Amino acid sequence: FVEEIASGQRVLNQPAGHLDPGESLVQAVSRETLEETAHRFTPTALLGVYRWRYGKEEDVTFLRFAFRGRVDGVEKGRQLDKEIIALAWLTPTELAARRAEHRSPLVQQCVDDYLAGRSFPLDVLSKPYA
């Protein structure tokens, strides 16, 4: 997990981000994980697609694609994205105890789905069109 500042509060989240131009979802998850954690990550399956509407001060809908995969190493000394305050390796029990710090309900939902064995092959994601 990453600890970051969102809406002025310190929160817990999985590494996340946006697609760069011409980038596939699989490429983006590897890049974002590296940028936010310094860990090289290879996605091996799609965990799920999640939708969450954040409607406190602004009406924003988040669409999350979460992945299963493997960590292939760490780039020690790599500068992390400026929004990242710290990394947190937590057990499911530790994560649940910090629920008030979750950036969204999707943090726990993704972990619950992972622990339940949810998985879809990566080929369910279409390749980007030129």
Side-chain angles (χ1 to χ4, degrees):
F1 300 93
V2 295
E3 295 185 24
E4 60 188 346
I5 299 294
S7 301
Q9 294 183 324
R10 187 176 183 139
V11 295
L12 277 170
N13 200 14
Q14 287 93 353
H18 304 88
L19 290 172
D20 282 350
E23 187 175 54
S24 72
L25 285 169
V26 170
Q27 291 166 331
V29 72
S30 294
R31 177 186 52 75
E32 286 288 351
T33 302
L34 181 63
E35 290 175 356
E36 294 190 5
T37 71
H39 288 77
R40 289 185 300 279
F41 177 77
T42 301
T44 57
L46 178 67
L47 177 64
V49 179
Y50 305 84
R51 181 177 175 264
W52 179 62
R53 183 173 168 252
Y54 180 76
K56 290 185 179 179
E57 296 175 13
E58 46 189 283
D59 187 11
V60 178
T61 298
F62 289 89
L63 187 61
R64 174 185 284 210
F65 290 77
F67 293 84
R68 300 174 75 94
R70 68 176 182 272
V71 174
D72 294 320
V74 63
E75 293 186 11
K76 294 184 182 194
R78 181 183 175 94
Q79 184 72 30
L80 302 181
D81 280 358
K82 64 182 180 197
E83 298 85 11
I84 305 303
I85 298 168
L87 302 183
W89 293 90
L90 304 172
T91 66
T93 302
E94 291 168 333
L95 179 67
R98 294 178 65 178
R99 188 177 301 267
E101 297 172 59
H102 295 186
R103 182 164 183 176
S104 78
L106 301 181
V107 173
Q108 188 67 52
Q109 184 64 57
C110 288
V111 171
D112 292 346
D113 288 351
Y114 175 84
L115 293 172
R118 187 171 180 177
S119 181
F120 302 94
L122 288 177
D123 64 8
V124 301
L125 302 170
S126 63
K127 295 184 180 182
Y129 293 97

